[in-house]
Amino acid sequence: NSNSNSNSNSNTDKAKINNYENTSEAMSLPALLLEKCLSIPTMADNNVFFTTYIMSQLLSSGKIIGLVLLAVYFILTLVIIMPFWLLSFVVTELGVYVFIWGGIFMAGR
């Protein structure tokens, strides 16, 4: 008797799951679009094939991402900002802007 109750409960659960899967037909268009947009895979998903081990580790730990952001800040400061700051002592700030704009113009040619 308990066996038939468990079978009927599992059949009821399966019917509920099937009804839930078929509710997208009865959903309104904005709700359907929202559901489709929210189910798009992102870089943070573990099942996306191009998510590397390092990226998943960075995204899963707040302590690590804090250290990474700090390291990126220092690298950007030393590599990009410091050379232009030192250049501003040789030529004025206006000279640095002219140098940057000229470099962008020449790189685009």
Side-chain angles (χ1 to χ4, degrees), residues 1-22:
N1 194 9
S2 66
N3 223 3
S4 66
N5 281 342
S6 65
N7 285 340
S8 65
N9 286 342
S10 65
N11 289 338
T12 306
D13 291 339
K14 288 178 184 177
K16 287 179 184 177
I17 290 171
N18 287 336
N19 286 338
Y20 177 73
E21 290 174 351
N22 294 330

Side-chain angles (χ1 to χ4, degrees), residues 32-87:
L32 184 62
L33 289 174
L34 181 64
E35 180 184 3
K36 294 294 183 188
C37 289
L38 291 176
S39 65
I40 295 172
T42 63
M43 280 290 290
D45 294 334
N46 288 330
N47 59 355
V48 179
F49 70 95
F50 54 82
T51 304
T52 62
Y53 174 76
I54 295 171
M55 184 61 79
S56 65
Q57 290 299 314
L58 291 177
L59 293 172
S60 65
S61 174
K63 292 178 182 177
I64 293 175
I65 195 67
L67 292 174
V68 167
L69 288 175
L70 190 62
V72 167
Y73 171 76
F74 282 126
I75 290 170
L76 287 176
T77 301
L78 292 175
V79 172
I80 295 175
I81 297 172
M82 288 297 288
F84 289 121
W85 179 69
L86 292 172
L87 182 64

